[in-house]
Amino acid sequence: GAVVSQHPSRVICKSGTSVKIECRSLDFQATTMFWYRQFPKQSLMLMATSNEGSKATYEQGVEKDKFLINHASLTLSTLTVTSAHPEDSSFYICSASPLLAPSYNEQFFGPGTRLTVL
Amino acid sequence: KQEVTQIPAALSVPEGENLVLNCSFTDSAIYNLQWFRQDPGKGLTSLLLIQSSQREQTSGRLNASLDKSSGRSTLYIAASQPGDSATYLCAVREAYGQNFVFGPGTRLSVLP
């Protein structure tokens, strides 16, 4: 149980275009989802906390107008990288915390999305 | 601000050895601590979750301990195997928010 999927797994785009990444909790409902980015050989850095039905909370230094987050339902959150640039190339990972016990305070991670901006 | 560190940064051991990975955090006000495994280019797999009120958790060859007052956790891997080769990350969930703070990870190589 507690499976989180991400789509797409890999995306290559041209500089200036926008890319949308989906994060879904497949077998549980999650009021809160988290978006992280990971640079090569580095740890995960939290970008934003996404709450269903409300605006996302962004970490300091993360541009909310560049990284648009929408959490429209209890099973889906999307991250849109707008006007992507090569420096946005990274591994983006989402996670979700179940709404209900017994795992309500545990995070389950998606498989990640590798974004390459040319 | 919560900071999480992991020692060592990298570790290479022969197959069959028992090993210990260390995780330290600066603020003891945590909700729980979670150990993850990450294979190259992949997402994270949860290994063990320890609530703040617990001292340890075990799963198969893995045992994780938590000493909240000293801000430390260890992950013990018994009888290591080449398939254990991966990066191991620890993360703490802060008591006063929903955030998880990750350590930089330990890259483990188990040699056959």
Side-chain angles (χ1 to χ4, degrees), chain A residues 10-38:
Chain A
R10 288 179 179 271
V11 57
I12 300 174
C13 69
K14 292 182 179 180
S15 185
T17 60
S18 294
V19 175
K20 180 185 284 188
I21 303 170
E22 292 186 348
C23 176
R24 292 181 185 272
S25 55
L26 298 184
D27 51 2
F28 65 96
Q29 293 183 326
T31 54
T32 305
M33 292 184 172
F34 304 87
W35 287 96
Y36 298 84
R37 68 185 296 181
Q38 185 179 34

Side-chain angles (χ1 to χ4, degrees), chain B residues 3-74:
Chain B
E3 292 185 3
V4 180
T5 56
Q6 290 185 245
I7 294 174
L11 181 63
S12 184
V13 299
E15 181 177 7
E17 273 203 9
N18 302 324
L19 55 98
V20 175
L21 308 181
N22 297 289
C23 173
S24 298
F25 47 95
T26 55
D27 188 345
S28 62
I30 65 170
Y31 198 62
N32 60 40
L33 182 146
Q34 206 165 343
W35 281 94
F36 297 89
R37 167 190 174 134
Q38 186 178 30
D39 293 291
K42 304 293 185 181
L44 276 67
T45 301
S46 178
L47 298 174
L48 290 165
L49 170 71
I50 310 177
Q51 303 294 351
S52 62
S53 59
Q54 298 175 324
R55 297 285 292 182
E56 66 176 344
Q57 285 286 336
T58 298
S59 175
R61 295 182 293 109
L62 304 179
N63 175 277
S65 67
L66 174 64
D67 184 343
K68 198 173 72 165
S69 62
S70 67
R72 294 180 181 179
S73 176
T74 61

Side-chain angles (χ1 to χ4, degrees), chain A residues 6-8 11 19-23 35 76-81 92 94 112-115:
Chain A
Q6 276 184 248
H7 178 80
V11 57
V19 175
K20 180 185 284 188
I21 303 170
E22 292 186 348
C23 176
W35 287 96
L76 173 65
S77 177
T78 60
L79 167 68
T80 301
V81 182
Y92 292 87
C94 73
T113 297
R114 174 77 58 193
L115 171 63

Side-chain angles (χ1 to χ4, degrees), chain A residues 39-109:
Chain A
F39 291 107
K41 297 187 178 180
Q42 294 187 27
S43 192
L44 278 73
M45 296 297 294
L46 179 67
M47 297 175 65
T49 302
S50 167
N51 292 295
E52 185 267 338
S54 63
K55 292 183 179 180
T57 302
Y58 291 82
E59 294 299 297
Q60 191 173 9
V62 177
E63 298 176 60
K64 62 180 181 181
D65 293 331
K66 180 167 186 63
F67 299 99
L68 301 179
I69 292 174
N70 183 275
H71 194 154
S73 75
L74 289 173
T75 60
L76 173 65
S77 177
T78 60
L79 167 68
T80 301
V81 182
T82 62
S83 187
H85 291 283
E87 57 265 31
D88 298 325
S89 299
S90 188
F91 193 53
Y92 292 87
I93 305 178
C94 73
S95 71
S97 288
L99 178 62
L100 301 173
S103 303
Y104 68 93
N105 61 359
E106 188 171 352
Q107 275 196 97
F108 296 94
F109 283 79

